[in-house]
Amino acid sequence: MENLDEILKFGKALAEKAGEEIKAAFLQEKKIETKAGCADLVTETDKKVECMIIDEIKKTYPHHQFIGEESVAGGLKCNLTDAPTWIVDPVDGTTNFVHRYPYVAVCLGFCVNKIPVLGVVYNAISGEMFAAIKGKGAFCNERKIQVSKETDLKKSLIMAEFGSARDPERLDFVLNNLRSIISTPVHSIHCMGSAALNICAVASGQAEAYVEFGIHCWDYCAASVILEEAGGLALDTTCTPLDLMARRILAACNMDIAQGLSSRLTHIELPRD
């Protein structure tokens, strides 16, 4: 059996250490590269922070496995097994980081038997530390958080993103869904530029839902635990149970909001992680 309380303590300290690296580089000039497309960015800080996180995990928990965004981008297989596994996004919101927009998060999710059981999401710039263990509630800087009680989609604030794809077909898909959502009508759609922080906004009761297609397990593994422990729902976009490797998520404060939002969407299948 894994000691989740000890692992959470380790994860929070590790996120803070990673956050110091991010904060130190935040206002500096950055060496920027692209991955899958012109808007899919990576910096030397992404790579440096992930190496540091994985080294610390290996030293402290040598029997644990890991899946890291930059490791996968470098050719390592994204293979989630029943073994205790960390799912790591060293810099969630790289575009924000590049542009000095202060929504940049270290994301550390921890799975046992392929189920997310612990999550840490640390906004390195604001110092907000979101954390949760399955069955023990969700917290931001040790303060318990809870989702909104709103059940009317028309009175909701929705979080969403444009994504990094720029091909016309994908842009039409994204824009048509955003048009459908806003014409519900909802109060507004906001884009924070970080999947994890979007989900934490729902967990904190600051927004009612978040939806995105085309992201990856490291973008939402950690935050999904925080959301559910705050009383929310982390679901597939069709309102079925979340598939961590399916690359799409609907995060909502309750099922009324989830079903209302899902019904407004066109859904697509994506290559799995």
Side-chain angles (χ1 to χ4, degrees):
M1 290 290 292
E2 300 292 332
N3 186 329
L4 294 182
D5 290 313
E6 284 299 317
I7 291 171
L8 181 62
K9 182 179 178 181
F10 166 80
K12 289 164 73 174
L14 183 55
E16 287 182 332
K17 184 176 179 180
E20 287 302 314
E21 293 281 352
I22 293 167
K23 203 168 184 179
F26 186 65
L27 296 178
Q28 306 303 314
E29 291 299 316
K30 303 169 183 74
K31 182 182 177 183
I32 305 161
E33 301 172 17
T34 59
K35 294 189 285 188
C38 64
D40 188 7
L41 309 181
V42 63
T43 71
E44 68 275 21
T45 301
D46 296 71
K47 298 174 184 178
K48 180 181 179 182
V49 170
E50 181 165 312
C51 284
M52 184 270 288
I53 288 171
I54 290 169
D55 284 348
E56 290 291 330
I57 291 171
K58 285 179 175 178
K59 281 192 295 184
T60 308
Y61 296 104
H63 64 291
H64 287 183
Q65 304 299 307
F66 66 87
I67 295 170
E69 176 176 9
E70 305 314 328
S71 302
V72 172
L76 202 66
K77 287 188 177 181
C78 186
N79 185 27
L80 181 62
T81 68
D82 288 338
T85 302
W86 293 84
I87 299 184
V88 175
D89 191 342
V91 182
D92 187 45
T94 299
T95 299
N96 290 348
F97 176 67
V98 165
H99 291 275
R100 304 181 179 95
Y101 188 65
Y103 295 91
V104 181
V106 180
C107 303
L108 304 175
F110 184 67
C111 298
V112 178
N113 296 322
K114 300 179 183 174
I115 298 171
V117 295
L118 180 153
V120 173
V121 174
Y122 179 55
N123 185 331
I125 311 306
S126 72
E128 288 179 302
M129 175 74 75
F130 298 92
I133 293 173
K134 193 173 181 67
K136 294 191 176 183
F139 300 85
C140 178
N141 295 347
E142 310 304 329
R143 177 183 59 84
K144 193 172 176 64
I145 56 175
Q146 190 170 9
V147 296
S148 164
K149 293 181 171 60
E150 183 58 65
T151 58
D152 187 348
L153 187 61
K154 292 182 179 180
K155 296 178 182 177
S156 297
L157 171 63
I158 308 300
M159 310 303 291
E161 297 291 338
F162 289 90
S164 59
R166 294 294 180 264
D167 58 283
E169 184 178 0
R170 187 60 172 273
L171 285 173
D172 284 344
F173 166 75
V174 172
L175 293 172
N176 287 339
N177 271 343
L178 291 176
R179 178 186 289 272
S180 179
I181 294 167
I182 199 69
S183 63
T184 303
V186 296
H187 279 175
S188 188
I189 299 175
H190 285 191
C191 305
M192 202 179 290
S194 159
L197 292 176
N198 281 331
I199 296 169
C200 287
V202 180
S204 301
Q206 298 165 354
E208 277 64 47
Y210 160 68
V211 63
E212 190 165 359
F213 295 81
I215 56 175
H216 295 274
C217 58
W218 46 80
D219 294 309
Y220 54 85
C221 175
S224 70
V225 182
I226 295 163
L227 173 63
E228 291 184 336
E229 287 304 306
L233 300 169
L235 301 166
D236 181 74
T237 57
T238 59
C239 289
T240 54
L242 180 67
D243 179 343
L244 203 55
M245 296 294 149
R247 299 184 54 212
R248 58 189 202 178
I249 187 172
L250 195 164
C253 57
N254 55 59
M255 189 58 81
D256 288 332
I257 296 294
Q259 290 176 339
L261 183 57
S262 178
S263 70
R264 306 288 304 180
L265 301 172
T266 299
H267 303 265
I268 58 169
E269 299 287 335
L270 296 144
R272 295 176 63 79
D273 275 333

